[in-house]
Amino acid sequence: MDNIDQRILEILQTDCLKTAKEMASELSLTTTPIYERIKKLEKAGYIKEYVALLDADLLGKSIVVFLNLTVKDHHASKRKEFIQQMESLDSITEFYHISGSYDFLAKARCSSIKEYRDFLVNDVASISNISDIESQIVLEELKYTTKVII
């Protein structure tokens, strides 16, 4: 990967609808090499997918909650089962295995505190391998980005 590839990735992270022609103009190249580089970056796995980032507030999903989770049994089969159960929950938008006081961190989006409570009581708490859950409700989102700094 060279500097031009890096610039292409930076441009796509800001506006993935920008055309190869627009990028070529910005990078002082012709369209064909830009298009070929993008295809090469996709094939190599640098570009995983193209998505639209939606406004959760406008869609009625403005409640963000982080869940710190501790599991009882860390054996491979129990861990795998727990991960599959958590991944199947639609309200979970991000899920991480972490170090520290807790084993896992999950991010959930809901439309109300009542919806979150129902989700916590009916869905998350029904997973048998969880020994502890700590919820942190986001009061204000101060910074959010999907950009990876290159």
Side-chain angles (χ1 to χ4, degrees), residues 61-102:
K61 294 291 184 179
S62 59
I63 304 295
V64 176
V65 182
F66 287 97
L67 296 87
N68 293 304
L69 304 153
T70 305
V71 295
K72 297 174 195 171
D73 190 341
H74 294 270
H75 288 38
S77 62
K78 291 290 188 181
R79 180 182 181 279
K80 183 178 179 181
E81 181 183 339
F82 167 74
I83 290 170
Q84 289 172 337
Q85 290 173 312
M86 288 296 294
E87 287 176 334
S88 73
L89 301 175
D90 290 336
S91 293
I92 300 293
T93 60
E94 297 178 43
F95 186 50
Y96 304 96
H97 184 208
I98 60 173
S99 66
S101 300
Y102 297 94

Side-chain angles (χ1 to χ4, degrees), residues 42-56:
E42 290 170 347
K43 187 175 181 179
Y46 289 101
I47 299 170
K48 292 169 55 172
E49 61 186 307
Y50 297 92
V51 299
L53 300 177
L54 306 180
D55 188 314

